[in-house]
Amino acid sequence: MESDFSWLLWGLPIAFVLGWVASRLDLRQLRIENRQAPKAYFRGLNFLLNEQQDQAIDAFIEAVRNDPDTSELHFALGNLFRRRGEYERAVRVHEHLLSRGDLSRPERHRAQHALALDFLKAGLLDRAEDALRKLEGTSFEPQALLALLSIYERTRDWPRAAEIARKLDTRGEGNFSTRLAHYLCEQAAQEPNEEAERLVREALRTAPAAARPALELAVLQRRAGDDRAAFETLAELAERLPAAAGLVARPLAESALACGEQVRATRILCERQQATPSLDVLEGLVALEPDPESARNLYARHLEREPSLVAATRWISGERLEHEDLHPLLQRALDQAVKPLSRYRCAACGFEANKHFWQCPGCQAWDSYPARRVEEL
C-alpha cells in the first residue's frame, strides 16, 4: 500500500504562511515596544540636559513601566532620586534591583554599591556600613573602602579608620601613611600618657615626614616633666622640616626656657627666620629675648624685610607716642584690625580659625591648613 503524501503539498505552504504571519505579529509588537521605551528614555535624557528633573523622573518611570527588565533605566531612576534628596525612593529602586533573580553578578554589585550610597547620603551610617561591607572582594571594593573611611572619620572611630587606611595603603590605592599617623594621634589623645606615647611613636614611624607626631610627642614629654626631651624632639623637627617652623617655634621656645637651652633655640629659630620670615617664628624669638627693648627691635627688623601690620602693631604696643593719652585707643583699634590677619586659613575651603587645625572643621580635609598666618599667604 503506497503512502499518501499529498497532505504534505498542502501542509507545508500553510505552515509557512502561519509562521510568516506569527513572525510579522511578533516583529510588529517588538517595534511598538521598542518605540515606546527608547522614546520615553530619550525624553528623560532631554529633560535632564535642560535641568528639568521632575519631568525627567516622570519620563524614566514611564520607560521602566514599558520595559521593566532594563536595569539601566532603574539605575538612572535611582541616581536621579538620590540627587534630588529622595533617598527613600532611591533605596526602593535599588532594593528592587537586588531582589531580581535575573540580575548579572556585576550588575548586582553595582546595585549594592548604589544602595550603599543611598544610605550614606541619607545619613544612615550603620546601614551604609553594612551595605559597603558586602562589597568586599568585588570591583567596587576600593570605592567601598574609601566610603567606609569617610564614615569612620565622621564617627571618630579612629581604630577602624586606621584599619581601613592600612588596607588601602597595602592595596596600592594611594599613600595613606600620613592619614594613618593622624588617626594614631587622634587615638593617643584619648589614652593615658603611657599608651598615648606608644601610639604617637608608632605614628612617627609610620609617617616620618609628618610634623604632627613629633609635636604631639613633645607635648607628652613636657606633660611628663621631661622638658629636655621635649626640646630635643622639637629641635630635631625644626631642622628636619623647615616648613613646620611656624608650628614648632612657640613650643620650642617654651621648652628651651624650661631646660635652659635658650641659646640653641635662638640659633635654630634665627636660621629659620633668615631663610623664610614668619610671624610665628618671630614670636618664638621674642619669647626667648629677655630684654624688652631688644624684643621690640626684632619686630622692627622683621618690618625691614616684610611689610606686616601684625608686626607693626606689636612694635607700636611698646612705643611712647606724642599723644600718649590716645595710645590705648589706637592700640585697641590696631589689635582689632589685625585679628583676621592672625588667623589660619584652610587651603581647600577657605575656613578661617584662630588656631591651627590638622583636619579642617569646615570641609574635613586633612593637612589643608598651611603653617602660616593669613597675612603671610
Side-chain angles (χ1 to χ4, degrees):
M1 180 178 176
E2 293 184 1
S3 299
D4 186 8
F5 292 103
S6 61
W7 62 273
L8 287 173
L9 298 175
W10 295 101
L12 284 175
I14 291 172
F16 175 78
V17 169
L18 290 174
W20 181 84
V21 170
S23 67
R24 296 299 294 175
L25 289 173
D26 287 344
L27 284 172
R28 184 183 176 190
Q29 182 65 26
L30 187 62
R31 286 195 190 100
I32 291 171
E33 291 176 355
N34 285 342
R35 274 198 300 268
Q36 288 174 344
K39 189 173 181 181
Y41 181 72
F42 288 120
R43 192 165 66 250
L45 285 179
N46 184 53
F47 285 132
L48 271 184
L49 291 173
N50 289 294
E51 299 183 358
Q52 296 173 281
Q53 292 190 7
D54 290 332
Q55 294 90 332
I57 285 175
D58 293 338
F60 283 133
I61 289 174
E62 179 188 343
V64 166
R65 285 172 182 161
N66 291 332
D67 193 1
D69 295 329
T70 305
S71 59
E72 285 299 331
L73 289 175
H74 285 78
F75 282 121
L77 194 56
N79 291 340
L80 260 180
F81 285 142
R82 190 195 311 131
R83 284 178 59 187
R84 284 173 52 84
E86 298 181 44
Y87 303 119
E88 193 173 329
R89 299 177 77 182
V91 166
R92 284 205 301 268
V93 169
H94 294 130
E95 283 181 337
H96 171 72
L97 272 173
L98 286 169
S99 68
R100 282 173 46 180
D102 62 337
L103 207 62
S104 67
R105 193 176 181 84
E107 286 188 326
R108 187 169 297 279
H109 295 158
R110 182 181 171 190
Q112 183 68 38
H113 181 248
L115 181 63
L117 293 182
D118 296 338
F119 290 140
L120 193 59
K121 290 289 187 181
L124 303 173
L125 301 185
D126 53 344
R127 298 180 70 179
E129 181 182 356
D130 292 339
L132 290 166
R133 289 285 184 185
K134 293 177 182 177
L135 291 167
E136 186 175 353
T138 72
S139 60
F140 288 94
E141 185 173 11
Q143 296 99 306
L145 288 174
L146 288 170
L148 282 171
L149 194 65
S150 172
I151 289 174
Y152 295 141
E153 284 186 2
R154 286 170 65 180
T155 56
R156 304 186 70 79
D157 189 343
W158 304 118
R160 285 189 175 182
E163 175 194 343
I164 298 296
R166 288 189 185 98
K167 278 187 180 180
L168 287 164
D169 204 53
T170 303
R171 294 164 192 260
E173 297 296 333
N175 186 352
F176 286 83
S177 58
T178 303
R179 187 83 68 91
L180 180 55
H182 282 303
Y183 299 155
L184 292 168
C185 289
E186 293 287 348
Q187 283 180 255
Q190 303 166 3
E191 299 290 343
N193 275 16
E194 189 174 336
E195 177 62 14
E197 185 169 341
R198 184 192 69 78
L199 289 167
V200 166
R201 289 191 182 278
E202 183 183 346
L204 197 55
R205 290 190 297 272
T206 301
R212 185 180 184 180
L215 287 166
E216 299 284 359
L217 178 59
V219 170
L220 292 171
Q221 289 168 332
R222 291 205 69 194
R223 191 182 299 164
D226 196 347
D227 291 302
R228 181 162 294 279
F231 174 78
E232 294 298 337
T233 299
L234 293 167
E236 189 274 335
L237 176 60
E239 293 177 349
R240 176 167 54 88
L241 289 176
L247 301 177
V248 175
R250 196 70 192 215
L252 179 70
E254 290 171 358
S255 59
L257 289 167
C259 67
E261 286 284 1
Q262 294 94 318
V263 174
R264 187 176 164 200
T266 300
R267 177 182 59 78
I268 293 171
L269 294 182
C270 279
E271 289 174 359
R272 298 280 71 85
Q273 186 72 348
Q274 186 64 30
T276 308
S278 161
L279 289 171
D280 287 301
V281 174
L282 175 61
E283 292 296 344
L285 287 168
V286 168
L288 288 167
E289 181 55 62
D291 179 29
E293 192 59 33
S294 299
R296 286 187 65 248
N297 289 336
L298 289 173
Y299 290 120
R301 288 205 293 272
H302 182 82
L303 288 168
E304 290 174 358
R305 296 186 61 185
E306 298 286 331
S308 167
L309 185 59
V310 176
T313 301
R314 301 287 189 273
W315 181 83
I316 286 175
S317 65
E319 181 70 5
R320 294 187 62 84
L321 302 180
E322 181 179 351
H323 300 283
E324 192 61 29
D325 56 325
L326 295 177
H327 195 174
L329 298 176
L330 174 64
Q331 191 63 47
R332 188 171 63 184
L334 287 172
D335 289 339
Q336 190 68 24
V338 300
K339 275 184 181 178
L341 302 177
S342 302
R343 295 173 184 158
Y344 295 97
R345 180 187 293 158
C346 174
C349 71
F351 188 92
E352 293 186 3
N354 292 325
K355 59 177 282 190
H356 181 275
F357 284 101
W358 299 107
Q359 185 184 25
C360 176
C363 65
Q364 307 301 308
W366 290 95
D367 293 315
S368 58
Y369 277 84
R372 300 181 72 78
R373 306 288 177 162
V374 167
E375 187 182 54
E376 301 171 293
L377 297 177

mmCIF file of all heavy atoms in Angstrom, residues 29-70:
data_model
loop_
_atom_site.group_PDB
_atom_site.id
_atom_site.type_symbol
_atom_site.label_atom_id
_atom_site.label_comp_id
_atom_site.label_asym_id
_atom_site.label_seq_id
_atom_site.Cartn_x
_atom_site.Cartn_y
_atom_site.Cartn_z
ATOM 1 N N GLN A 29 4.835 43.859 17.312
ATOM 2 C CA GLN A 29 4.754 44.140 18.746
ATOM 3 C C GLN A 29 6.098 44.629 19.290
ATOM 4 O O GLN A 29 6.166 45.552 20.109
ATOM 5 C CB GLN A 29 4.313 42.861 19.492
ATOM 6 C CG GLN A 29 4.153 43.049 20.999
ATOM 7 C CD GLN A 29 3.039 44.016 21.338
ATOM 8 O OE1 GLN A 29 2.096 44.194 20.564
ATOM 9 N NE2 GLN A 29 3.150 44.667 22.492
ATOM 10 N N LEU A 30 7.182 44.009 18.819
ATOM 11 C CA LEU A 30 8.525 44.398 19.266
ATOM 12 C C LEU A 30 8.843 45.831 18.856
ATOM 13 O O LEU A 30 9.421 46.608 19.627
ATOM 14 C CB LEU A 30 9.564 43.428 18.684
ATOM 15 C CG LEU A 30 11.001 43.586 19.167
ATOM 16 C CD1 LEU A 30 11.070 43.347 20.676
ATOM 17 C CD2 LEU A 30 11.930 42.624 18.440
ATOM 18 N N ARG A 31 8.452 46.176 17.598
ATOM 19 C CA ARG A 31 8.697 47.548 17.140
ATOM 20 C C ARG A 31 7.928 48.558 17.994
ATOM 21 O O ARG A 31 8.440 49.625 18.327
ATOM 22 C CB ARG A 31 8.266 47.699 15.675
ATOM 23 C CG ARG A 31 9.214 47.042 14.681
ATOM 24 C CD ARG A 31 8.931 47.531 13.272
ATOM 25 N NE ARG A 31 9.644 46.752 12.285
ATOM 26 C CZ ARG A 31 9.078 45.766 11.569
ATOM 27 N NH1 ARG A 31 7.804 45.451 11.739
ATOM 28 N NH2 ARG A 31 9.796 45.089 10.689
ATOM 29 N N ILE A 32 6.672 48.191 18.344
ATOM 30 C CA ILE A 32 5.864 49.100 19.174
ATOM 31 C C ILE A 32 6.527 49.309 20.525
ATOM 32 O O ILE A 32 6.669 50.431 21.017
ATOM 33 C CB ILE A 32 4.433 48.533 19.350
ATOM 34 C CG1 ILE A 32 3.677 48.575 18.011
ATOM 35 C CG2 ILE A 32 3.664 49.315 20.422
ATOM 36 C CD1 ILE A 32 2.355 47.850 18.027
ATOM 37 N N GLU A 33 6.967 48.206 21.150
ATOM 38 C CA GLU A 33 7.599 48.307 22.470
ATOM 39 C C GLU A 33 8.907 49.075 22.397
ATOM 40 O O GLU A 33 9.226 49.887 23.273
ATOM 41 C CB GLU A 33 7.845 46.904 23.038
ATOM 42 C CG GLU A 33 6.550 46.188 23.411
ATOM 43 C CD GLU A 33 6.810 44.764 23.880
ATOM 44 O OE1 GLU A 33 7.986 44.330 23.813
ATOM 45 O OE2 GLU A 33 5.854 44.088 24.302
ATOM 46 N N ASN A 34 9.698 48.794 21.356
ATOM 47 C CA ASN A 34 10.979 49.476 21.216
ATOM 48 C C ASN A 34 10.808 50.965 20.960
ATOM 49 O O ASN A 34 11.646 51.776 21.373
ATOM 50 C CB ASN A 34 11.804 48.856 20.084
ATOM 51 C CG ASN A 34 12.396 47.514 20.495
ATOM 52 O OD1 ASN A 34 12.469 47.218 21.676
ATOM 53 N ND2 ASN A 34 12.790 46.714 19.507
ATOM 54 N N ARG A 35 9.713 51.302 20.260
ATOM 55 C CA ARG A 35 9.476 52.719 20.013
ATOM 56 C C ARG A 35 9.062 53.424 21.309
ATOM 57 O O ARG A 35 9.428 54.559 21.555
ATOM 58 C CB ARG A 35 8.387 52.900 18.942
ATOM 59 C CG ARG A 35 8.917 52.859 17.529
ATOM 60 C CD ARG A 35 7.915 53.476 16.565
ATOM 61 N NE ARG A 35 6.641 52.782 16.569
ATOM 62 C CZ ARG A 35 6.315 51.782 15.753
ATOM 63 N NH1 ARG A 35 7.191 51.368 14.863
ATOM 64 N NH2 ARG A 35 5.129 51.205 15.817
ATOM 65 N N GLN A 36 8.298 52.718 22.128
ATOM 66 C CA GLN A 36 7.803 53.335 23.352
ATOM 67 C C GLN A 36 8.916 53.547 24.387
ATOM 68 O O GLN A 36 9.081 54.623 24.929
ATOM 69 C CB GLN A 36 6.693 52.462 23.961
ATOM 70 C CG GLN A 36 5.392 52.510 23.179
ATOM 71 C CD GLN A 36 4.379 51.513 23.726
ATOM 72 O OE1 GLN A 36 4.741 50.605 24.473
ATOM 73 N NE2 GLN A 36 3.124 51.707 23.350
ATOM 74 N N ALA A 37 9.709 52.467 24.630
ATOM 75 C CA ALA A 37 10.722 52.569 25.695
ATOM 76 C C ALA A 37 11.808 53.586 25.366
ATOM 77 O O ALA A 37 12.044 54.506 26.157
ATOM 78 C CB ALA A 37 11.326 51.202 25.979
ATOM 79 N N PRO A 38 12.465 53.477 24.176
ATOM 80 C CA PRO A 38 13.501 54.472 23.894
ATOM 81 C C PRO A 38 12.946 55.887 23.806
ATOM 82 O O PRO A 38 13.619 56.828 24.196
ATOM 83 C CB PRO A 38 14.066 54.025 22.547
ATOM 84 C CG PRO A 38 13.732 52.581 22.451
ATOM 85 C CD PRO A 38 12.432 52.444 23.151
ATOM 86 N N LYS A 39 11.725 56.023 23.350
ATOM 87 C CA LYS A 39 11.172 57.362 23.227
ATOM 88 C C LYS A 39 11.078 58.023 24.601
ATOM 89 O O LYS A 39 11.487 59.165 24.796
ATOM 90 C CB LYS A 39 9.783 57.283 22.579
ATOM 91 C CG LYS A 39 9.211 58.637 22.201
ATOM 92 C CD LYS A 39 7.920 58.452 21.427
ATOM 93 C CE LYS A 39 7.364 59.811 21.014
ATOM 94 N NZ LYS A 39 6.091 59.671 20.268
ATOM 95 N N ALA A 40 10.566 57.267 25.582
ATOM 96 C CA ALA A 40 10.474 57.797 26.943
ATOM 97 C C ALA A 40 11.856 58.009 27.537
ATOM 98 O O ALA A 40 12.098 58.986 28.255
ATOM 99 C CB ALA A 40 9.669 56.835 27.818
ATOM 100 N N TYR A 41 12.767 57.076 27.201
ATOM 101 C CA TYR A 41 14.127 57.176 27.740
ATOM 102 C C TYR A 41 14.816 58.434 27.234
ATOM 103 O O TYR A 41 15.396 59.200 28.023
ATOM 104 C CB TYR A 41 14.913 55.934 27.328
ATOM 105 C CG TYR A 41 16.324 55.892 27.839
ATOM 106 C CD1 TYR A 41 16.599 55.660 29.183
ATOM 107 C CD2 TYR A 41 17.390 56.097 26.971
ATOM 108 C CE1 TYR A 41 17.899 55.614 29.660
ATOM 109 C CE2 TYR A 41 18.695 56.060 27.438
ATOM 110 C CZ TYR A 41 18.938 55.811 28.770
ATOM 111 O OH TYR A 41 20.227 55.777 29.242
ATOM 112 N N PHE A 42 14.748 58.671 25.928
ATOM 113 C CA PHE A 42 15.410 59.848 25.358
ATOM 114 C C PHE A 42 14.711 61.149 25.768
ATOM 115 O O PHE A 42 15.367 62.187 25.899
ATOM 116 C CB PHE A 42 15.477 59.742 23.834
ATOM 117 C CG PHE A 42 16.471 58.715 23.368
ATOM 118 C CD1 PHE A 42 16.067 57.637 22.599
ATOM 119 C CD2 PHE A 42 17.803 58.826 23.723
ATOM 120 C CE1 PHE A 42 16.982 56.688 22.187
ATOM 121 C CE2 PHE A 42 18.726 57.879 23.302
ATOM 122 C CZ PHE A 42 18.318 56.799 22.537
ATOM 123 N N ARG A 43 13.403 61.061 25.999
ATOM 124 C CA ARG A 43 12.705 62.238 26.512
ATOM 125 C C ARG A 43 13.223 62.582 27.913
ATOM 126 O O ARG A 43 13.433 63.745 28.246
ATOM 127 C CB ARG A 43 11.200 61.977 26.535
ATOM 128 C CG ARG A 43 10.388 63.258 26.775
ATOM 129 C CD ARG A 43 8.917 63.097 26.435
ATOM 130 N NE ARG A 43 8.253 62.155 27.312
ATOM 131 C CZ ARG A 43 7.816 60.949 26.940
ATOM 132 N NH1 ARG A 43 7.971 60.548 25.686
ATOM 133 N NH2 ARG A 43 7.222 60.145 27.797
ATOM 134 N N GLY A 44 13.465 61.549 28.724
ATOM 135 C CA GLY A 44 14.036 61.765 30.051
ATOM 136 C C GLY A 44 15.424 62.378 29.985
ATOM 137 O O GLY A 44 15.748 63.283 30.756
ATOM 138 N N LEU A 45 16.240 61.887 29.041
ATOM 139 C CA LEU A 45 17.575 62.462 28.872
ATOM 140 C C LEU A 45 17.498 63.927 28.472
ATOM 141 O O LEU A 45 18.284 64.759 28.947
ATOM 142 C CB LEU A 45 18.358 61.675 27.808
ATOM 143 C CG LEU A 45 18.893 60.304 28.205
ATOM 144 C CD1 LEU A 45 19.607 59.663 27.025
ATOM 145 C CD2 LEU A 45 19.853 60.426 29.382
ATOM 146 N N ASN A 46 16.558 64.244 27.612
ATOM 147 C CA ASN A 46 16.396 65.627 27.182
ATOM 148 C C ASN A 46 16.017 66.528 28.359
ATOM 149 O O ASN A 46 16.528 67.635 28.507
ATOM 150 C CB ASN A 46 15.329 65.697 26.088
ATOM 151 C CG ASN A 46 15.183 67.103 25.518
ATOM 152 O OD1 ASN A 46 16.161 67.711 25.091
ATOM 153 N ND2 ASN A 46 13.968 67.627 25.535
ATOM 154 N N PHE A 47 15.122 66.040 29.209
ATOM 155 C CA PHE A 47 14.756 66.813 30.402
ATOM 156 C C PHE A 47 15.947 67.008 31.330
ATOM 157 O O PHE A 47 16.129 68.066 31.926
ATOM 158 C CB PHE A 47 13.620 66.115 31.159
ATOM 159 C CG PHE A 47 12.275 66.253 30.494
ATOM 160 C CD1 PHE A 47 11.459 65.138 30.311
ATOM 161 C CD2 PHE A 47 11.823 67.492 30.069
ATOM 162 C CE1 PHE A 47 10.218 65.259 29.712
ATOM 163 C CE2 PHE A 47 10.568 67.626 29.467
ATOM 164 C CZ PHE A 47 9.771 66.510 29.282
ATOM 165 N N LEU A 48 16.766 65.956 31.447
ATOM 166 C CA LEU A 48 17.955 66.057 32.301
ATOM 167 C C LEU A 48 18.907 67.121 31.789
ATOM 168 O O LEU A 48 19.466 67.910 32.559
ATOM 169 C CB LEU A 48 18.684 64.714 32.367
ATOM 170 C CG LEU A 48 18.262 63.728 33.451
ATOM 171 C CD1 LEU A 48 19.163 62.502 33.411
ATOM 172 C CD2 LEU A 48 18.329 64.369 34.823
ATOM 173 N N LEU A 49 19.114 67.140 30.481
ATOM 174 C CA LEU A 49 20.017 68.130 29.890
ATOM 175 C C LEU A 49 19.515 69.550 30.105
ATOM 176 O O LEU A 49 20.309 70.495 30.174
ATOM 177 C CB LEU A 49 20.199 67.850 28.392
ATOM 178 C CG LEU A 49 20.986 66.580 28.052
ATOM 179 C CD1 LEU A 49 20.948 66.320 26.552
ATOM 180 C CD2 LEU A 49 22.440 66.714 28.507
ATOM 181 N N ASN A 50 18.199 69.690 30.221
ATOM 182 C CA ASN A 50 17.604 71.004 30.458
ATOM 183 C C ASN A 50 17.360 71.269 31.943
ATOM 184 O O ASN A 50 16.644 72.208 32.294
ATOM 185 C CB ASN A 50 16.285 71.133 29.686
ATOM 186 C CG ASN A 50 16.507 71.247 28.191
ATOM 187 O OD1 ASN A 50 17.062 72.219 27.709
ATOM 188 N ND2 ASN A 50 16.096 70.218 27.457
ATOM 189 N N GLU A 51 17.939 70.386 32.788
ATOM 190 C CA GLU A 51 17.836 70.515 34.242
ATOM 191 C C GLU A 51 16.384 70.533 34.722
ATOM 192 O O GLU A 51 16.031 71.251 35.652
ATOM 193 C CB GLU A 51 18.587 71.766 34.732
ATOM 194 C CG GLU A 51 20.073 71.733 34.414
ATOM 195 C CD GLU A 51 20.816 72.940 34.957
ATOM 196 O OE1 GLU A 51 20.156 73.818 35.553
ATOM 197 O OE2 GLU A 51 22.038 72.993 34.795
ATOM 198 N N GLN A 52 15.566 69.724 34.072
ATOM 199 C CA GLN A 52 14.158 69.581 34.479
ATOM 200 C C GLN A 52 14.004 68.190 35.109
ATOM 201 O O GLN A 52 13.519 67.249 34.474
ATOM 202 C CB GLN A 52 13.225 69.751 33.274
ATOM 203 C CG GLN A 52 13.272 71.144 32.651
ATOM 204 C CD GLN A 52 12.480 71.219 31.367
ATOM 205 O OE1 GLN A 52 12.945 70.794 30.303
ATOM 206 N NE2 GLN A 52 11.273 71.756 31.461
ATOM 207 N N GLN A 53 14.405 68.074 36.348
ATOM 208 C CA GLN A 53 14.500 66.760 36.974
ATOM 209 C C GLN A 53 13.131 66.133 37.223
ATOM 210 O O GLN A 53 12.975 64.911 37.108
ATOM 211 C CB GLN A 53 15.286 66.856 38.279
ATOM 212 C CG GLN A 53 16.757 67.187 38.059
ATOM 213 C CD GLN A 53 17.564 67.031 39.330
ATOM 214 O OE1 GLN A 53 17.073 66.554 40.340
ATOM 215 N NE2 GLN A 53 18.822 67.447 39.279
ATOM 216 N N ASP A 54 12.117 66.926 37.557
ATOM 217 C CA ASP A 54 10.776 66.370 37.785
ATOM 218 C C ASP A 54 10.254 65.666 36.538
ATOM 219 O O ASP A 54 9.751 64.532 36.599
ATOM 220 C CB ASP A 54 9.797 67.476 38.199
ATOM 221 C CG ASP A 54 10.097 68.013 39.590
ATOM 222 O OD1 ASP A 54 10.639 67.244 40.403
ATOM 223 O OD2 ASP A 54 9.796 69.188 39.856
ATOM 224 N N GLN A 55 10.358 66.369 35.401
ATOM 225 C CA GLN A 55 9.888 65.775 34.147
ATOM 226 C C GLN A 55 10.733 64.575 33.745
ATOM 227 O O GLN A 55 10.231 63.595 33.190
ATOM 228 C CB GLN A 55 9.906 66.826 33.026
ATOM 229 C CG GLN A 55 8.913 67.960 33.230
ATOM 230 C CD GLN A 55 9.494 69.118 34.011
ATOM 231 O OE1 GLN A 55 10.393 68.921 34.824
ATOM 232 N NE2 GLN A 55 8.994 70.324 33.774
ATOM 233 N N ALA A 56 12.044 64.631 34.031
ATOM 234 C CA ALA A 56 12.930 63.505 33.707
ATOM 235 C C ALA A 56 12.526 62.264 34.502
ATOM 236 O O ALA A 56 12.491 61.149 33.957
ATOM 237 C CB ALA A 56 14.379 63.879 34.003
ATOM 238 N N ILE A 57 12.204 62.445 35.772
ATOM 239 C CA ILE A 57 11.779 61.312 36.599
ATOM 240 C C ILE A 57 10.493 60.700 36.044
ATOM 241 O O ILE A 57 10.374 59.467 35.929
ATOM 242 C CB ILE A 57 11.594 61.767 38.058
ATOM 243 C CG1 ILE A 57 12.972 61.968 38.712
ATOM 244 C CG2 ILE A 57 10.777 60.754 38.855
ATOM 245 C CD1 ILE A 57 12.917 62.536 40.107
ATOM 246 N N ASP A 58 9.526 61.543 35.664
ATOM 247 C CA ASP A 58 8.268 61.030 35.093
ATOM 248 C C ASP A 58 8.545 60.222 33.828
ATOM 249 O O ASP A 58 7.946 59.150 33.616
ATOM 250 C CB ASP A 58 7.314 62.186 34.774
ATOM 251 C CG ASP A 58 6.818 62.881 36.043
ATOM 252 O OD1 ASP A 58 6.865 62.244 37.111
ATOM 253 O OD2 ASP A 58 6.421 64.067 35.956
ATOM 254 N N ALA A 59 9.462 60.727 32.976
ATOM 255 C CA ALA A 59 9.778 60.026 31.733
ATOM 256 C C ALA A 59 10.453 58.688 32.009
ATOM 257 O O ALA A 59 10.151 57.671 31.368
ATOM 258 C CB ALA A 59 10.678 60.911 30.856
ATOM 259 N N PHE A 60 11.367 58.649 32.968
ATOM 260 C CA PHE A 60 12.061 57.398 33.283
ATOM 261 C C PHE A 60 11.116 56.387 33.931
ATOM 262 O O PHE A 60 11.230 55.179 33.698
ATOM 263 C CB PHE A 60 13.262 57.662 34.195
ATOM 264 C CG PHE A 60 14.455 58.221 33.469
ATOM 265 C CD1 PHE A 60 15.148 59.316 33.968
ATOM 266 C CD2 PHE A 60 14.893 57.653 32.286
ATOM 267 C CE1 PHE A 60 16.247 59.834 33.305
ATOM 268 C CE2 PHE A 60 15.996 58.158 31.611
ATOM 269 C CZ PHE A 60 16.671 59.259 32.115
ATOM 270 N N ILE A 61 10.173 56.875 34.752
ATOM 271 C CA ILE A 61 9.187 55.958 35.335
ATOM 272 C C ILE A 61 8.347 55.320 34.235
ATOM 273 O O ILE A 61 8.064 54.111 34.250
ATOM 274 C CB ILE A 61 8.297 56.709 36.347
ATOM 275 C CG1 ILE A 61 9.106 57.049 37.611
ATOM 276 C CG2 ILE A 61 7.073 55.883 36.722
ATOM 277 C CD1 ILE A 61 8.363 57.925 38.613
ATOM 278 N N GLU A 62 7.959 56.127 33.240
ATOM 279 C CA GLU A 62 7.200 55.594 32.094
ATOM 280 C C GLU A 62 8.027 54.571 31.331
ATOM 281 O O GLU A 62 7.535 53.511 30.945
ATOM 282 C CB GLU A 62 6.806 56.745 31.172
ATOM 283 C CG GLU A 62 6.023 56.299 29.943
ATOM 284 C CD GLU A 62 5.812 57.441 28.946
ATOM 285 O OE1 GLU A 62 5.973 58.621 29.339
ATOM 286 O OE2 GLU A 62 5.516 57.141 27.778
ATOM 287 N N ALA A 63 9.341 54.865 31.146
ATOM 288 C CA ALA A 63 10.215 53.939 30.428
ATOM 289 C C ALA A 63 10.368 52.625 31.182
ATOM 290 O O ALA A 63 10.380 51.542 30.582
ATOM 291 C CB ALA A 63 11.587 54.585 30.209
ATOM 292 N N VAL A 64 10.454 52.706 32.515
ATOM 293 C CA VAL A 64 10.581 51.488 33.329
ATOM 294 C C VAL A 64 9.315 50.648 33.238
ATOM 295 O O VAL A 64 9.377 49.417 33.182
ATOM 296 C CB VAL A 64 10.897 51.867 34.801
ATOM 297 C CG1 VAL A 64 10.700 50.673 35.728
ATOM 298 C CG2 VAL A 64 12.320 52.384 34.911
ATOM 299 N N ARG A 65 8.154 51.306 33.206
ATOM 300 C CA ARG A 65 6.896 50.556 33.080
ATOM 301 C C ARG A 65 6.829 49.821 31.736
ATOM 302 O O ARG A 65 6.343 48.699 31.656
ATOM 303 C CB ARG A 65 5.712 51.509 33.213
ATOM 304 C CG ARG A 65 5.452 51.962 34.646
ATOM 305 C CD ARG A 65 4.409 53.050 34.682
ATOM 306 N NE ARG A 65 4.174 53.538 36.048
ATOM 307 C CZ ARG A 65 3.603 54.691 36.332
ATOM 308 N NH1 ARG A 65 3.191 55.490 35.334
ATOM 309 N NH2 ARG A 65 3.440 55.061 37.581
ATOM 310 N N ASN A 66 7.298 50.491 30.689
ATOM 311 C CA ASN A 66 7.259 49.876 29.361
ATOM 312 C C ASN A 66 8.276 48.755 29.219
ATOM 313 O O ASN A 66 8.068 47.816 28.455
ATOM 314 C CB ASN A 66 7.522 50.933 28.283
ATOM 315 C CG ASN A 66 6.380 51.919 28.168
ATOM 316 O OD1 ASN A 66 5.236 51.583 28.455
ATOM 317 N ND2 ASN A 66 6.686 53.144 27.760
ATOM 318 N N ASP A 67 9.409 48.890 29.942
ATOM 319 C CA ASP A 67 10.457 47.882 29.836
ATOM 320 C C ASP A 67 11.017 47.603 31.234
ATOM 321 O O ASP A 67 12.105 48.063 31.591
ATOM 322 C CB ASP A 67 11.564 48.401 28.905
ATOM 323 C CG ASP A 67 12.524 47.291 28.510
ATOM 324 O OD1 ASP A 67 12.300 46.142 28.938
ATOM 325 O OD2 ASP A 67 13.508 47.583 27.800
ATOM 326 N N PRO A 68 10.285 46.872 32.078
ATOM 327 C CA PRO A 68 10.678 46.683 33.481
ATOM 328 C C PRO A 68 11.938 45.858 33.667
ATOM 329 O O PRO A 68 12.504 45.827 34.754
ATOM 330 C CB PRO A 68 9.461 45.974 34.088
ATOM 331 C CG PRO A 68 8.784 45.313 32.941
ATOM 332 C CD PRO A 68 9.020 46.193 31.747
ATOM 333 N N ASP A 69 12.382 45.156 32.621
ATOM 334 C CA ASP A 69 13.570 44.307 32.763
ATOM 335 C C ASP A 69 14.875 45.050 32.492
ATOM 336 O O ASP A 69 15.947 44.474 32.627
ATOM 337 C CB ASP A 69 13.470 43.106 31.801
ATOM 338 C CG ASP A 69 12.296 42.194 32.171
ATOM 339 O OD1 ASP A 69 11.985 42.131 33.376
ATOM 340 O OD2 ASP A 69 11.720 41.575 31.268
ATOM 341 N N THR A 70 14.796 46.287 32.072
ATOM 342 C CA THR A 70 16.015 47.043 31.755
ATOM 343 C C THR A 70 16.614 47.624 33.031
ATOM 344 O O THR A 70 16.065 48.555 33.621
ATOM 345 C CB THR A 70 15.708 48.178 30.757
ATOM 346 O OG1 THR A 70 15.085 47.624 29.607
ATOM 347 C CG2 THR A 70 16.989 48.866 30.332
#
